[in-house]
Amino acid sequence: MSSIQTTTIQADTTNPILKLRGSHLEPNTSAYPELDKKGYTVVRNVLSKEKSSSYVDKAFDWLEGFDKGFKRDDRSTWKPESLPAFSRGGLFNRHGAAHEQWAWDIRSEQNIIDVFAKIWDTDELLVSFDAVNISLPFDQDANFQKDAWPHTDQSPLRRHKHCIQGIANLVEVGPKDGSLLVLEGSFELYNEFFEIHDKDAPPEGWSWRDSFLPTNDQLQWFYDKGCKWKKIEAGPGDLILWDSRTIHYGGNAEGDSIRVATYICYKPAKDILPDALERRKNCWDELIGTSHDPLLFRETGSIALGPLTDDERLRPLQRPVLSDRAKQLAGITSY
């Protein structure tokens, strides 16, 4: 194992449940040097094409199971009104999506776990209960959120290497297809930006929430520094990784290409605070989703946010069956 760095974090008095311990492991990205050079990388062929295809089939089974009119083989049904509620081009964090069996099966794939085990120098990990993405190429006049939404998934209060996020990509995505877009060079400028723009903080200060949405003027600062948008191209079974300080967003599907992916993030189990662990167990008991960070998370989904309609499905139709390894990843069985 390589040497481990630690970072001391000032106590977060606004929300003690969400703060880390006084010191914690930083991600060890030496196995994936592009993460330190560019802020993102693609680990190729983590899952086989055959396995990826089987997960795509299960994703479409899930959509068809809502009986809203969507049929995978009938292009005329590929419209928002034939689908359960989603955000952006196809982000599903409602309807118990985070706890569907196929989503858990992907989280439990050993080859994916091994990638994050290298990053954290341990295989004793917890995983997020995060969303899935099934983006269809809708017609131009379709009613859905089409705008870009550049953001980081790290609080301005955290200015160190804190979290590596992942996308299990299940289909071919090229330069014209829906995929992750990253603002190249933005993560290297993260600290400088907040030092210069400290006056932009709201009166109550920067939020502890691991999310920051820059304004157009703030984005222009990055453009003036030479940062440019890049769409990540990946194949079925590839794992996309990025440093949470990187400005990014999910692009909509274009042309005739679909996008099917799941969001996954792992961190060391030993670093979670007892209160947060109890909250994780409750999320599992109630089948509630979480935001990306397995340790510093927020509850998401239909139960946490409230349903949009009276007939909204709150949980999966069937509770997922977890393997012994998945129970450890969920935090309901200790290592």
Side-chain angles (χ1 to χ4, degrees):
M1 296 291 185
S2 60
S3 60
I4 302 298
Q5 294 178 299
T6 61
T7 296
T8 299
I9 298 176
Q10 187 173 5
D12 177 355
T13 57
T14 62
N15 200 317
I17 291 178
L18 288 157
K19 75 179 189 321
L20 283 169
R21 295 173 180 172
S23 64
H24 75 102
L25 295 183
E26 280 193 0
N28 169 23
T29 46
S30 59
Y32 309 103
E34 273 195 333
L35 283 170
D36 288 329
K37 182 179 179 182
K38 295 183 176 181
Y40 68 90
T41 195
V42 180
V43 186
R44 303 291 180 182
N45 303 313
V46 176
L47 302 180
S48 69
K49 290 183 179 180
E50 294 75 19
K51 185 165 283 188
S52 299
S53 179
S54 72
Y55 285 131
V56 172
D57 286 339
K58 291 174 182 177
F60 283 135
D61 289 342
W62 180 68
L63 282 185
E64 290 177 342
F66 285 87
D67 294 325
K68 288 184 172 290
F70 170 76
K71 300 295 181 186
R72 75 189 77 185
D73 298 325
D74 184 352
R75 181 71 170 76
S76 69
T77 69
W78 292 18
K79 47 191 178 182
E81 53 266 34
S82 298
L83 301 170
F86 60 89
S87 62
R88 306 299 172 179
L91 180 64
F92 291 90
N93 64 1
R94 292 180 170 273
H95 323 290
H99 291 287
E100 285 294 332
Q101 185 68 58
W102 61 278
W104 265 108
D105 290 343
I106 293 173
R107 291 183 194 119
S108 305
E109 288 282 354
Q110 190 59 49
N111 286 355
I112 294 177
I113 298 169
D114 288 344
V115 170
F116 282 89
K118 289 180 182 177
I119 290 172
W120 292 106
D121 288 314
T122 179
D123 60 3
E124 295 186 356
L125 300 167
L126 297 175
V127 70
S128 57
F129 307 155
D130 211 338
V132 303
N133 192 305
I134 310 170
S135 294
L136 305 175
F138 299 124
D139 294 336
Q140 287 187 344
D141 59 351
N143 182 22
F144 71 100
Q145 293 169 293
K146 302 180 178 71
D147 57 312
W149 45 300
H151 63 282
T152 70
D153 288 312
Q154 186 158 319
S155 165
L157 298 175
R158 307 184 206 285
R159 303 187 186 180
H160 55 283
K161 184 162 57 175
H162 170 65
C163 188
I164 304 298
Q165 296 171 249
I167 289 175
N169 187 67
L170 301 174
V171 298
E172 190 75 32
V173 289
K176 296 288 187 180
D177 302 328
S179 184
L180 180 74
L181 285 96
V182 297
L183 189 59
E184 283 196 303
S186 59
F187 97 104
E188 296 175 292
L189 297 168
Y190 186 85
N191 284 5
E192 181 183 349
F193 171 82
F194 286 111
E195 288 165 3
I196 291 175
H197 292 82
D198 192 57
K199 63 182 184 302
D200 292 345
E204 66 276 14
W206 297 116
S207 173
W208 54 263
R209 289 175 178 267
D210 279 323
S211 178
F212 173 70
L213 280 73
T215 65
N216 288 335
D217 287 343
Q218 290 169 337
L219 281 173
Q220 188 61 50
W221 183 88
F222 287 95
Y223 300 151
D224 292 343
K225 294 281 188 178
C227 297
K228 297 183 183 300
W229 286 106
K230 178 181 177 60
K231 183 173 286 187
I232 305 301
E233 299 179 34
D238 290 350
L239 181 62
I240 303 171
L241 301 174
W242 72 99
D243 187 305
S244 292
R245 294 170 291 182
T246 303
I247 298 176
H248 65 282
Y249 70 94
N252 299 326
E254 302 175 24
D256 292 325
S257 298
I258 62 173
R259 181 191 185 197
V260 185
T262 64
Y263 300 92
I264 46 178
C265 185
Y266 305 72
K267 277 190 168 183
K270 70 178 186 60
D271 281 331
I272 195 166
L273 290 174
D275 287 347
L277 181 59
E278 289 306 308
R279 288 173 59 228
R280 277 183 64 90
K281 291 178 179 178
N282 181 69
C283 286
W284 162 250
D285 289 341
E286 299 297 327
L287 297 179
I288 297 171
T290 70
S291 53
H292 70 280
D293 192 319
L295 309 184
L296 303 173
F297 59 90
R298 291 172 286 109
E299 288 86 351
T300 65
S302 299
I303 298 174
L305 303 177
L308 297 176
T309 61
D310 291 340
D311 64 347
E312 181 169 330
R313 185 188 298 176
L314 301 182
R315 296 178 174 86
L317 290 180
Q318 294 183 331
R319 174 174 283 271
V321 178
L322 302 189
S323 65
D324 290 342
R325 185 71 175 97
K327 290 176 182 177
Q328 293 175 321
L329 295 169
I332 57 178
T333 299
S334 14
Y335 285 97

